[in-house]
């Protein structure tokens, strides 16, 4: 964001090379350049190069003194700046990102912007992704149904030489918030020799405790 002209140039060249839209993900500012006007200047320059879709992490990035991890937590969220961007540039596709972790919040943000990007919440609680089906008036699949689809997928990937823990690490949070969530996590974690049967046994145990899950 410190070099909007460079970003614009990159967008121009990338867009000339591909047939799909080039999108830009950015923050609301960096360090002391954290005014709304600074972000608008950035967006206008990048848009002039052909980008019409922006995903905005609603925090300033503090490049001095904070690690990337701290930069995802400490700078305060200013969702209003992203809403205002959409108001001022209704012709652009503006998506909001940062600290959003419930379907209710997603719905609230969608009153103001075109889209919501979720990062860590889906990772910590992948079932939240299933719950977003309600946004399309679709029921969420049950965890047991998700697992039933996952087993053949895992088998196919193993046959291709993929390691099971590479897949299961993304499902450690599948029972997040339910009884037995920790047991499930422990059954899957730190086990290089893990088998699909181990996973099925662990899942059956947790599903017994949560018949409606
Ligand atoms: C482990 C990890 C790696 C990330 N790497 C990138 C990255 O390479 N580029 C990027 O734009 N954002 C990256 N992010 C930030 C996310 O895209 C997102 O903006 C951020 O996590 C805030 O959204 P959230 O609160 O929904 O997680 C990363 C986030 C995490 C947790």
């Amino acid at each position: 964001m410190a070099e909007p002209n460079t970003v614009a140039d990159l967008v121009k060249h990338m867009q000339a090379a591909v047939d799909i839209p080039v999108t830009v993900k950015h923050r609301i500012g960096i360090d002391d350049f954290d005014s709304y006007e600074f972000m608008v200047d950035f967006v206008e320059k990048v848009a002039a190069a052909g980008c019409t879709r922006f995903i905005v992490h609603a925090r300033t990035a503090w490049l001095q003194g904070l690690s990337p991890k701290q930069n995802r937590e400490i700078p305060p969220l200013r969702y209003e700046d992203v809403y205002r961007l959409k108001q001022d540039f209704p012709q652009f596709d503006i998506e909001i990102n940062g600290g959003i972790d419930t379907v209710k919040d997603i719905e609230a943000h969608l009153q103001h912007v075109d889209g919501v990007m979720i990062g860590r919440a889906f990772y910590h609680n992948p079932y939240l992704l299933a719950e977003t089906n309600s946004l399309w008036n679709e029921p969420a699949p049950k965890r047991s149904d998700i697992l039933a689809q996952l087993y053949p997928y895992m088998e196919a990937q193993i046959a291709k030489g993929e390691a099971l823990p590479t897949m299961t690490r993304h499902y450690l949070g599948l029972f997040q918030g339910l009884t037995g969530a920790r047991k499930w996590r422990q059954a899957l974690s730190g086990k290089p020799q893990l088998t699909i049967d181990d996973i099925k046994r662990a899942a059956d145990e947790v599903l017994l405790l949560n018949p409606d899950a």
Side-chain angles (χ1 to χ4, degrees):
M1 289 188 86
E3 297 178 43
N5 292 325
T6 306
V7 179
D9 226 26
L10 288 165
V11 166
K12 201 169 81 190
H13 284 87
M14 282 191 274
Q15 196 58 82
V18 297
D19 295 327
I20 52 172
V22 173
T23 67
V24 171
K25 176 162 173 277
H26 61 92
R27 295 226 179 184
I28 55 174
I30 42 165
D31 294 323
D32 291 337
F33 301 105
D34 70 343
S35 67
Y36 176 72
E37 290 69 28
F38 173 80
M39 176 171 65
V40 164
D41 176 68
F42 174 83
V43 167
E44 281 179 330
K45 285 183 172 140
V46 174
C51 176
T52 58
R53 187 166 165 196
F54 298 87
I55 302 106
V56 192
H57 185 174
R59 286 186 171 93
T60 297
W62 292 342
L63 303 181
Q64 309 297 326
L66 288 193
S67 69
K69 184 169 187 291
Q70 289 170 320
N71 251 311
R72 290 193 286 269
E73 287 155 8
I74 295 174
L77 287 156
R78 293 207 319 254
Y79 295 133
E80 323 77 61
D81 284 28
V82 187
Y83 298 166
R84 192 172 160 197
L85 190 66
K86 176 62 194 177
Q87 273 173 6
D88 291 345
F89 297 92
Q91 71 275 32
F92 297 154
D93 194 334
I94 305 291
E95 303 178 20
I96 200 164
N97 168 244
I100 302 162
D101 56 11
T102 65
V103 175
K104 213 163 148 242
D105 287 348
I106 295 172
E107 276 185 301
H109 286 296
L110 286 174
Q111 301 297 314
H112 303 277
V113 290
D114 301 297
V116 175
M117 177 198 161
I118 309 284
R120 290 164 295 181
F122 280 159
Y123 201 74
H124 296 146
N125 175 17
Y127 192 70
L128 178 64
L129 188 54
E131 290 173 331
T132 59
N133 273 9
S134 66
L135 297 168
W136 290 272
N137 298 316
E138 295 276 342
K142 293 174 84 172
R143 288 171 183 78
S144 50
D145 294 334
I146 295 170
L147 284 162
Q149 290 185 50
L150 209 49
Y151 299 140
Y153 169 78
M154 286 174 169
E155 271 160 23
Q157 294 301 310
I158 288 172
K160 286 189 202 165
E162 196 57 76
L164 196 48
T166 314
M167 292 175 266
T168 50
R169 62 197 286 253
H170 302 291
Y171 295 92
L172 296 179
L174 185 61
F175 291 95
Q176 176 82 7
L178 297 181
T179 317
R182 187 194 293 184
K183 217 170 169 191
W184 165 257
R185 189 178 284 276
Q186 284 171 346
L188 267 58
S189 308
K191 302 216 170 63
Q193 305 304 326
L194 190 75
T195 65
I196 294 182
D197 280 341
D198 295 333
I199 301 171
K200 285 182 179 168
R201 262 193 301 275
D204 287 347
E205 270 188 50
V206 188
L207 287 168
L208 259 184
L209 299 169
N210 305 277
D212 296 330

